[in-house]
Amino acid sequence: MAGMVLDITAGAVALTEALVDLESVSLNERPIADAIESVLRPLDHLEVTRIGNSLVARTDLGRGERVVIAGHIDTVPVNANLPCRNDGTHLHGLGTCDMKAGVAVGLRLAAGVPEPNRDVTYVFYECEEIDAVHNGLRKIAEDRPDLVEADFAILMEPSDAAVEAGCQGTLRVDVRTHGERAHSARSWKGVNAIHKAAEVLRRLNEYDARRPVIDGLEYHEGLNAVMISGGVATNVLPDEAVVTVNYRFAPDRSEAEALEYVREFFDGFDVTLTDSAPGALPGLDVPAAKAFVESVGGEVKPKFGWTDVARFSGLGVPAVNFGPGDPSLAHKQEEHVPIAQIERCEQVLRTWLGDR
Amino acid sequence: MAGMVLDITAGAVALTEALVDLESVSLNERPIADAIESVLRPLDHLEVTRIGNSLVARTDLGRGERVVIAGHIDTVPVNANLPCRNDGTHLHGLGTCDMKAGVAVGLRLAAGVPEPNRDVTYVFYECEEIDAVHNGLRKIAEDRPDLVEADFAILMEPSDAAVEAGCQGTLRVDVRTHGERAHSARSWKGVNAIHKAAEVLRRLNEYDARRPVIDGLEYHEGLNAVMISGGVATNVLPDEAVVTVNYRFAPDRSEAEALEYVREFFDGFDVTLTDSAPGALPGLDVPAAKAFVESVGGEVKPKFGWTDVARFSGLGVPAVNFGPGDPSLAHKQEEHVPIAQIERCEQVLRTWLGDR
């Protein structure tokens, strides 16, 4: 992978294909970050900073407005869906949708629009798909908050090339059951902690998702076991089982309210918070957001997935999601992206940045 | 650990303590096997063979009868229960009960009874606590069946210093649930395989154990999840979960019948057999067994745990369990053994072997 050269001139579609084939599961972004850096470094109109495996590239033209265009460069684990396949209308493969097509568009703009009508801060960052503690955008905001100051931000997360506003929050808890070890040949002498997890899973099966409407947008919550583990040895009654549960909550709930809900849901069990990130309210009343929405064409949908829109929101920068790809295909084995949406996103943003 | 010297003359209790402190979790028996070998090799009255980390030591006095005295030298994983602690009446710690006290008695007999009234084959073997494929006694029986030919065998598994007859069989299956991955923020687009495991665990909670009476002995079956796993990433709906289930079945069921029972129990799920070992009927009608039972004092109990009694049974050698320690404490954190039982077992066997 080292030394991979990205051909920025071959178009956003070919560039997406190259980025997809540059496997970059979270915590393994060095090769793709190296490749992106080697595109950005030679460009005289950009000031480039690398932090870990994240890159920030800024124009500095003294414009009256500064906007961020950002995308993460990592993916979820490979699921027999590499390399990239182009069937003429769609690109198929891991990361085509979430979100290397968006990264390709961002890179094309960074390289191909040297004099935008607004100053632009491009951010290509690592570790969005795993624990918030690793998140590259978080690290940039902590180490160099000056680098991400802006009036408005666009995250190129998949949104079917339309504007998706706000985002749901996410938190994760470990729900633990306890038992007592014993030899499995005399199981009546112990207490099986895995069997106790039946009740945890039963409640999850009965969960009824809340769907609140906020600023005219209907959000949709979710409560799911994403991991389960337990067991000491194959002839020992296990004394512990852990169900890792992910709660996706609408942005009218704070992190504290969301945690309280989960604790009540699993009342009687040992619940430990392991990860939490707030949602973001749609925020469409901010002037910069309104202007962008109008330039795209007006339609706005709710964002279900957590995105770093919430992180920008926390930094006081209004932000929306806008990128190629159906967000419901993200993290699915058959992930793909329509070629037309890649092209549309690039065109919309070029126009918005004043490029002819 | 290498070079550890066991003092065989300090008595069976001190020897048990030394063996317990010589940590020997399955697949890590080399140090304890080395220590045992260094006791046996210098003894002129024994012919010693090492196979892997198992040892066979035989007298060859031309007696009319040959008996096996056997014990495994491995333990289940450490559970904050080392080193050995002697409170004056009991030894506490991993392996005190299952079954280093029995091994200590066997070693004392091997070294201290040079002219037994029956030829004796002592077997100290590895990997009894894990998959049958690793079992040291199995390897000896396959590689050198001549070494374990005998008229009768005593396994020094914990049995409260009384005779426990027969043993229950054991099999293990993986019960798999299937789903479809999706981003956990849009969980309605996928199918959560961990949630489907609720039904597997519900059935296990409703399991009603069979307790058949065979030759006057009441056995007690068990069906338990011993491992559970599932999960792809913390923001992905999992497409697979695996519940590993251990079935302990009374010796009136064959392995095939036991598997059929488990398949019906989990009807509708994907069930894969991963390990199986037959039970052994009590077999108390064999003359050699009768004679030993009488010499011990007559009381006989059923054996719940699987032991290599079944393996000897399969080789045509009648066998019983007889060793110090409460079998219901095996694999428990608070495992311990009464000092008086260690001493009683040694005395009973010395007398039976004609030692004064």
Side-chain angles (χ1 to χ4, degrees):
Chain A
M1 297 288 205
M4 169 92 189
V5 175
L6 295 170
D7 179 3
I8 206 80
T9 66
V13 176
L15 184 56
T16 301
E17 294 185 68
L19 289 168
V20 168
D21 289 344
L22 236 171
E23 188 183 313
S24 58
V25 176
S26 307
L27 297 174
N28 294 283
E29 296 95 334
R30 181 178 301 276
I32 197 170
D34 289 348
I36 291 171
E37 184 172 8
S38 69
V39 169
L40 298 172
R41 284 281 176 207
L43 299 170
D44 290 339
H45 64 280
L46 294 175
E47 180 199 329
V48 178
T49 307
R50 179 164 177 158
I51 296 179
N53 290 320
S54 299
L55 290 147
V56 181
R58 297 158 54 96
T59 64
D60 191 10
L61 301 162
R63 306 298 194 213
E65 193 175 38
R66 175 172 288 280
V67 297
V68 169
I69 295 177
H72 65 82
I73 60 177
D74 60 323
T75 70
V76 294
V78 183
N79 186 15
N81 50 4
L82 283 180
C84 190
R85 184 168 59 82
N86 182 337
D87 70 8
T89 62
H90 293 79
L91 300 184
H92 301 259
L94 176 68
T96 47
C97 171
D98 183 17
M99 55 170 288
K100 291 184 174 177
V103 170
V105 170
L107 259 181
R108 290 265 301 165
L109 298 171
V113 187
E115 297 197 345
N117 57 5
R118 316 164 143 85
D119 270 312
V120 186
T121 302
Y122 297 96
V123 182
F124 305 102
Y125 62 101
E126 64 183 330
C127 289
E128 193 268 351
E129 298 289 8
I130 55 172
D131 271 10
V133 68
H134 299 288
N135 185 292
L137 183 57
R138 173 187 170 133
K139 288 182 184 169
I140 295 166
E142 284 175 4
D143 292 3
R144 292 289 306 276
D146 58 300
L147 286 182
V148 285
E149 280 172 10
D151 300 292
F152 178 54
I154 296 169
L155 272 184
M156 296 204 63
E157 289 278 354
S159 62
D160 267 334
V163 178
E164 289 191 344
C167 79
Q168 299 197 127
T170 179
L171 68 76
R172 215 165 60 235
V173 292
D174 283 344
V175 183
R176 234 176 217 91
T177 59
H178 302 282
E180 193 189 344
R181 292 190 199 182
H183 194 300
S184 63
R186 287 171 295 278
S187 49
W188 56 94
K189 301 278 184 178
V191 178
N192 193 319
I194 293 176
H195 292 194
K196 283 187 171 182
E199 172 62 13
V200 175
L201 301 183
R202 188 194 66 75
R203 292 188 198 177
L204 286 168
N205 276 318
E206 298 205 342
Y207 168 74
D208 188 25
R210 207 169 67 96
R211 301 167 77 157
V213 176
I214 306 168
D215 288 3
L217 304 174
E218 186 185 69
Y219 290 86
H220 190 150
E221 300 195 338
L223 188 68
N224 276 277
V226 289
M227 295 276 171
I228 191 164
S229 65
V232 175
T234 53
N235 58 355
V236 177
L237 237 65
D239 57 355
E240 183 178 277
V242 181
V243 185
T244 300
V245 174
N246 183 207
Y247 178 38
R248 300 290 178 144
F249 53 96
D252 60 341
R253 276 195 173 159
S254 69
E255 291 174 273
E257 287 165 343
L259 178 58
E260 181 57 26
Y261 172 77
V262 170
R263 286 198 187 282
E264 278 177 24
F265 190 86
F266 293 113
D267 186 39
F269 289 95
D270 174 3
V271 173
T272 308
L273 181 70
T274 57
D275 193 43
S276 178
L281 288 163
L284 295 174
D285 49 346
V286 176
K290 280 186 180 161
F292 179 72
V293 168
E294 278 160 26
S295 87
V296 172
E299 198 206 357
V300 181
K301 298 184 286 182
K303 186 71 181 173
F304 297 122
W306 187 89
T307 75
D308 279 312
V309 158
R311 205 173 305 279
F312 282 111
S313 185
L315 293 168
V317 181
V320 298
N321 304 281
F322 174 74
D326 177 351
S328 72
L329 292 172
H331 302 195
K332 296 200 86 170
Q333 204 269 337
E334 69 272 25
E335 181 178 346
H336 54 265
V337 65
I339 287 172
Q341 288 191 1
I342 303 175
E343 290 164 345
R344 167 169 153 77
C345 282
E346 180 171 354
Q347 192 50 55
V348 164
L349 288 167
R350 275 187 188 276
T351 304
W352 184 59
L353 294 178
D355 187 57
R356 274 300 74 217
Chain B
M1 298 288 207
M4 168 92 190
V5 175
L6 295 171
D7 179 4
I8 205 80
T9 66
V13 176
L15 184 57
T16 302
E17 293 184 69
L19 289 168
V20 168
D21 288 344
L22 236 172
E23 188 182 315
S24 58
V25 176
S26 306
L27 298 174
N28 294 284
E29 297 95 334
R30 180 179 301 278
I32 198 169
D34 290 348
I36 291 170
E37 183 172 8
S38 69
V39 168
L40 298 172
R41 283 282 175 206
L43 299 170
D44 289 339
H45 64 281
L46 295 174
E47 181 199 328
V48 178
T49 307
R50 179 164 178 158
I51 296 179
N53 289 320
S54 300
L55 290 148
V56 181
R58 296 158 53 97
T59 64
D60 191 11
L61 302 162
R63 307 297 194 213
E65 194 176 39
R66 175 172 289 280
V67 297
V68 169
I69 294 177
H72 64 82
I73 60 177
D74 60 323
T75 70
V76 294
V78 183
N79 186 14
N81 50 4
L82 282 181
C84 190
R85 183 168 60 81
N86 182 337
D87 69 8
T89 61
H90 293 78
L91 300 184
H92 301 260
L94 177 67
T96 47
C97 171
D98 184 16
M99 58 175 283
K100 291 185 175 176
V103 170
V105 169
L107 260 181
R108 290 266 301 165
L109 298 171
V113 187
E115 297 196 344
N117 57 5
R118 315 162 143 87
D119 271 314
V120 186
T121 302
Y122 296 95
V123 182
F124 304 101
Y125 63 101
E126 64 183 329
C127 289
E128 193 268 353
E129 298 289 8
I130 55 173
D131 272 10
V133 67
H134 298 288
N135 186 291
L137 182 58
R138 172 187 171 136
K139 288 183 182 167
I140 295 166
E142 284 176 4
D143 292 3
R144 292 288 307 277
D146 57 300
L147 284 183
V148 285
E149 280 172 10
D151 300 293
F152 178 54
I154 295 169
L155 272 183
M156 297 205 63
E157 290 276 355
S159 62
D160 267 333
V163 178
E164 289 192 343
C167 79
Q168 299 198 126
T170 179
L171 67 75
R172 217 165 58 235
V173 294
D174 283 344
V175 184
R176 235 178 216 89
T177 59
H178 302 283
E180 192 189 345
R181 292 190 200 183
H183 194 299
S184 63
R186 286 170 297 277
S187 48
W188 57 95
K189 301 279 184 177
V191 179
N192 192 319
I194 292 177
H195 292 194
K196 283 186 172 182
E199 171 62 11
V200 175
L201 300 183
R202 188 194 67 75
R203 292 188 197 176
L204 285 169
N205 276 317
E206 298 205 343
Y207 168 73
D208 188 24
R210 206 170 67 97
R211 300 167 77 156
V213 175
I214 306 168
D215 287 3
L217 304 174
E218 186 185 68
Y219 289 87
H220 190 150
E221 300 195 335
L223 189 67
N224 275 276
V226 288
M227 296 274 170
I228 191 164
S229 64
V232 175
T234 53
N235 57 355
V236 177
L237 237 65
D239 57 355
E240 184 178 276
V242 181
V243 185
T244 301
V245 174
N246 183 208
Y247 179 37
R248 300 290 177 145
F249 52 97
D252 59 340
R253 277 195 172 158
S254 70
E255 290 174 273
E257 287 165 344
L259 179 58
E260 180 58 24
Y261 171 78
V262 170
R263 285 198 187 283
E264 279 178 23
F265 190 87
F266 293 113
D267 187 40
F269 290 95
D270 174 3
V271 173
T272 310
L273 181 69
T274 58
D275 192 44
S276 178
L281 289 164
L284 296 175
D285 49 347
V286 176
K290 279 186 180 159
F292 178 71
V293 168
E294 278 160 26
S295 87
V296 172
E299 198 207 356
V300 180
K301 297 183 287 181
K303 186 70 182 174
F304 297 121
W306 188 89
T307 75
D308 279 314
V309 159
R311 205 173 302 280
F312 282 111
S313 185
L315 293 168
V317 181
V320 298
N321 304 281
F322 174 74
D326 176 352
S328 72
L329 291 173
H331 301 195
K332 296 200 85 169
Q333 204 269 337
E334 68 273 23
E335 181 177 345
H336 54 266
V337 67
I339 286 172
Q341 288 191 2
I342 302 175
E343 290 165 345
R344 166 169 154 78
C345 283
E346 180 172 354
Q347 191 51 54
V348 163
L349 288 167
R350 275 188 188 274
T351 303
W352 183 60
L353 294 179
D355 187 58
R356 278 297 77 219

